[in-house]
Amino acid sequence: MTTLTDENTRLAAELAASQVQVLASKQQLAWFKRQLFGRKSEKVIHDISTQGQLFTLPSPESSLPTHYKPVKAHTRRLKQKREEEVNETGLRFTDDVPQQVIDLPCPELNGSNAQDYEVIGTKDTYRLAQQVGSYVVLVYRRQVVKQKSTQTLTQAPAPSNVLEGCYADVSLLAGLMVDKALYHLPLNRQHQRMLDAGVTLSRATLINYVSKGIELLRPIVIAMRKHMLRQHTLAMDEVPIKAGRTSISTQRHRQMKQTYFWPIYGPDDEVVFTWSRGRDTQHVIDQLRGFNGVLLTDGYGVYPRAIQQLTQQGQVITHATFRVDEDITALTPHRPGRAQLTHPVLHNSLF
């Protein structure tokens, strides 16, 4: 009985040792597979004796004899210079781009034989550069004078600002809104750019600036919309845009709300963007109230329903839908042609 127990103990120890060796072998095999077939295989340099060298010259004894053939002379057309190009490098820019002239001295004029040289002209080399920050602090330094007889102090008045009591210049207000709306640069990135440029302003201050700047532009938008409603032809479309957060009670409370822009395009290249939370008929009615003419749309169902209600109220609106490459000459006799339209429907050839 004791012999069987000892034998069983010995076999169990050998089995455990064998399992350890098998596990170590599996780990080594996995390592070799990663070296041959994994990401690290690209870093391994394999010296293949049968493969030729790409960047070394062949030995003279192994090179083949060189043969030559005559080639006819030819001429090459020079690159034509555009009218707006400044120089042969092709750099094009308008007069609105600021330029900084850097004068480079000629070493010969500072040497021992400088009297042997004279300046007969200059050559310009243009390079496009970028500055670290585009912000500048305007300091209006006003003189304070004192009248000698009455000892009265007088100073020049400070220049007026678009926002009373605001540190922002009108150029900053315009830049914030243009960068946000035209170049899709949100205010948080503009705020970070200001901090990197050394200007310390809170993000809430930027939001306040943009909000007040929008209110300054509201009368212009109202005037444009009134002018467009007096035209004979308008194009209208709806474009989805994410804005705001959904309700917390819903399951998708962390997602953005689906809202809509309603661009209205007039014959004088005027575009007015209105906004609504949905694509209901009432928003179309509110925007077209007072319009009499031809309305071009993509055929969405809210437009016929809105036109029907406006017609019952006394307005005269003709609804027209169109497709790509559809002839709209009958609708626009003063500018004939064929419309090449893409969604959203905004194109000059409509009018």
Side-chain angles (χ1 to χ4, degrees), residues 69-74:
K69 66 176 182 179
V71 178
K72 294 183 179 180
H74 64 280

Side-chain angles (χ1 to χ4, degrees), residues 11-12 72 80 86 107 109 146 157 183 199 220 224 244 285 295 297 299 304 306 312 323:
L11 293 176
K72 294 183 179 180
Q80 295 181 356
V86 177
L109 297 178
K146 182 179 65 173
Y183 300 109
V199 181
I220 301 177
M224 290 177 58
I285 295 176
L295 179 65
T297 68
Q312 296 175 357
R323 302 180 301 273

Side-chain angles (χ1 to χ4, degrees), residues 163 177 209-227 261 271-275 283 287:
L163 298 179
M177 292 187 289
Y209 286 168
V210 173
S211 178
K212 292 183 178 180
I214 291 175
E215 294 302 323
L216 294 176
L217 298 177
R218 190 177 299 274
I220 301 177
V221 177
I222 295 176
M224 290 177 58
R225 181 174 170 273
K226 290 181 179 179
H227 179 264
F261 270 138
V271 182
V272 172
F273 287 85
T274 61
W275 176 83
H283 183 77
Q287 303 307 317

Side-chain angles (χ1 to χ4, degrees), residues 108-120:
E108 286 75 7
L109 297 178
N110 298 327
S112 58
N113 299 328
Q115 66 277 3
D116 297 336
Y117 297 91
E118 62 177 351
V119 180
I120 60 173

Side-chain angles (χ1 to χ4, degrees), residues 63-68:
S63 60
L64 298 176
T66 305
H67 301 279
Y68 299 91

Side-chain angles (χ1 to χ4, degrees), residues 5-269:
T5 303
D6 295 341
E7 184 69 16
N8 188 18
T9 303
R10 184 181 63 80
L11 293 176
E14 292 180 356
L15 179 61
S18 300
Q19 291 178 350
V20 172
Q21 292 180 358
V22 171
L23 181 60
S25 300
K26 288 183 177 180
Q27 293 177 353
Q28 293 178 359
L29 180 60
W31 184 86
F32 281 113
K33 286 182 178 181
R34 288 194 301 269
Q35 299 298 319
L36 293 176
F37 307 108
R39 292 183 179 180
K40 295 184 178 180
S41 61
E42 299 178 358
K43 300 180 181 180
V44 179
I45 301 177
H46 301 279
D47 188 9
I48 304 177
S49 58
T50 58
Q51 182 178 356
Q53 299 294 329
L54 181 61
F55 297 105
T56 56
L57 297 176
S59 57
E61 57 274 7
S62 61
S63 60
L64 298 176
T66 305
H67 301 279
Y68 299 91
K69 66 176 182 179
V71 178
K72 294 183 179 180
H74 64 280
T75 58
R76 180 175 297 177
R77 181 173 60 89
L78 296 178
K79 181 181 178 181
Q80 295 181 356
K81 183 178 179 181
R82 301 180 181 178
E83 295 181 357
E84 66 272 15
E85 290 184 0
V86 177
N87 49 33
E88 299 296 338
T89 60
L91 182 61
R92 301 186 298 273
F93 57 89
T94 61
D95 296 336
D96 299 334
V97 179
Q99 302 182 33
Q100 179 182 358
V101 180
I102 302 175
D103 295 326
L104 300 179
C106 188
E108 286 75 7
L109 297 178
N110 298 327
S112 58
N113 299 328
Q115 66 277 3
D116 297 336
Y117 297 91
E118 62 177 351
V119 180
I120 60 173
T122 59
K123 286 189 175 181
D124 298 334
T125 301
Y126 293 87
R127 293 179 183 177
L128 185 61
Q130 182 178 1
Q131 297 180 354
V132 178
S134 58
Y135 303 100
V136 62
V137 177
L138 302 178
V139 181
Y140 296 97
R141 184 163 298 165
R142 298 169 291 156
Q143 293 181 346
V144 180
V145 297
K146 182 179 65 173
Q147 190 177 7
K148 297 180 180 180
S149 59
T150 61
Q151 301 295 317
T152 303
L153 299 180
T154 305
Q155 62 181 2
S160 59
N161 202 357
V162 290
L163 298 179
E164 185 178 357
C166 178
Y167 293 108
D169 187 68
V170 62
S171 59
L172 179 64
L173 299 178
L176 290 174
M177 292 187 289
V178 169
D179 288 344
K180 178 176 173 57
L182 183 59
Y183 300 109
H184 306 283
L185 190 63
L187 291 180
N188 62 320
R189 296 182 182 177
Q190 297 190 49
H191 178 251
Q192 185 62 42
R193 186 173 63 179
M194 282 188 174
L195 295 178
D196 295 340
V199 181
T200 303
L201 284 178
S202 64
R203 193 180 303 175
T205 302
L206 299 184
I207 297 175
N208 190 24
Y209 286 168
V210 173
S211 178
K212 292 183 178 180
I214 291 175
E215 294 302 323
L216 294 176
L217 298 177
R218 190 177 299 274
I220 301 177
V221 177
I222 295 176
M224 290 177 58
R225 181 174 170 273
K226 290 181 179 179
H227 179 264
M228 294 172 62
L229 292 178
R230 293 195 295 265
Q231 305 301 318
H232 60 86
T233 307
L234 290 180
M236 191 173 183
D237 195 18
E238 73 284 347
V239 182
I241 185 174
K242 299 291 185 179
R245 295 289 183 180
T246 55
S247 177
I248 300 179
S249 59
T250 60
Q251 296 181 356
R252 304 181 347 181
H253 63 277
R254 297 185 62 86
Q255 296 186 3
M256 300 287 289
K257 288 183 180 180
Q258 179 73 291
T259 61
Y260 293 89
F261 270 138
W262 298 80
I264 305 175
Y265 185 66
D268 294 334
D269 290 338

